Amino acid sequence: MTWWALAALGAYHGLNPAMGWLFAVSQGMQHRSRRAVLRALGPIALGHELSIALVAVLVLVAAARIDQRWLHIGAAAALIAFGIFRFVKPRAHFRWTKMRVSGRELTLWSFLMSTAHGAGLMVAPVLIGAGASAASADAGGHDGHVGLASVASAPEAAVGIFLHVAAMLAVMGVVAVVVYEKVGVEILRKAWINTDGVWAAAFVLAGVATLLT
């Protein structure tokens, strides 16, 4: 279930134009090439993965030093607070000053955007939940008490991040190519839902769920 949750979050990120597919489409339009669209996806995925990995490392480090109850409370508070912030300031994110960028600049842009949108923060409760489930299974016939916070191990976190980014990249690639070749960016004005509102609500719900587990 944990890996499915990470993959589902990745697919949602792939659908969200703010996470990069709109930028990839703009690259294709500038160069008048579908290859430019696909070429932009790699740096975007790398920047997103770096943002996710940063949060995963912080969670793993915190787990070695913080009691499980406080880690859950801290993660829940951060998620709820960030969700409320996204409701109040839905357009608070880094703004790029140009659209013609190198691969390195595109990676940096993706990292900043993913961090500003809390992409890595949303992964934290999934990693905590994975570790807690494993710890409960290991406790077996013992008293079941876990003194320190339990999170997914480093290898498990790496696999989860890979699945997350792979799902995002697959969905993002399909959406970017379809928009570039068939639909056009006018779809954003006519039929696109408010992904910022959905994303903010998801943070609040994830925070409440983390607090109750």
Side-chain angles (χ1 to χ4, degrees):
M1 182 63 181
T2 299
W3 303 140
W4 283 110
L6 288 171
L9 284 172
Y12 175 80
H13 287 164
L15 285 173
N16 190 343
M19 291 295 178
W21 68 253
L22 186 58
F23 211 124
V25 171
S26 74
Q27 294 294 296
M29 291 180 171
Q30 287 176 22
H31 298 282
R32 298 182 180 180
S33 169
R34 183 177 65 179
R35 183 175 297 178
V37 176
L38 298 175
R39 188 167 56 240
L41 298 178
I44 291 173
L46 178 59
H48 187 83
E49 184 171 11
L50 290 173
S51 178
I52 298 290
L54 176 61
V55 173
V57 169
L58 292 176
V59 170
L60 290 171
V61 171
R65 295 171 171 80
I66 302 176
D67 183 88
Q68 182 179 352
R69 293 169 298 175
W70 291 110
L71 185 62
H72 274 81
I73 292 173
L79 287 164
I80 294 172
F82 194 84
I84 294 173
F85 171 76
R86 295 303 306 180
F87 271 123
V88 176
K89 297 284 187 178
R91 301 188 182 280
H93 55 71
F94 296 97
R95 299 183 183 276
W96 209 254
T97 57
K98 59 182 181 178
M99 294 300 285
R100 292 187 178 276
V101 295
S102 65
R104 182 178 300 177
E105 290 172 327
L106 190 53
T107 298
L108 175 60
W109 173 86
S110 178
F111 173 81
L112 294 175
M113 287 294 290
S114 297
T115 302
H117 280 77
L121 185 61
M122 182 59 82
V123 173
V126 181
L127 295 177
I128 294 171
S133 297
S136 297
D138 289 341
H142 299 86
D143 59 5
H145 175 73
V146 182
L148 295 176
S150 300
V151 299
S153 65
E156 289 174 331
V159 172
I161 293 172
F162 173 79
L163 290 175
H164 175 88
V165 176
M168 184 198 76
L169 187 59
V171 173
M172 182 183 293
V174 171
V175 173
V177 171
V178 169
V179 171
Y180 173 73
E181 294 192 342
K182 303 293 183 181
V183 180
V185 293
E186 287 297 316
I187 187 67
L188 294 175
R189 297 179 181 177
K190 297 178 180 179
W192 200 258
I193 63 174
N194 181 6
T195 55
D196 288 329
V198 174
W199 189 230
F203 272 96
V204 175
L205 291 174
V208 173
T210 301
L211 192 61
L212 295 177
T213 55

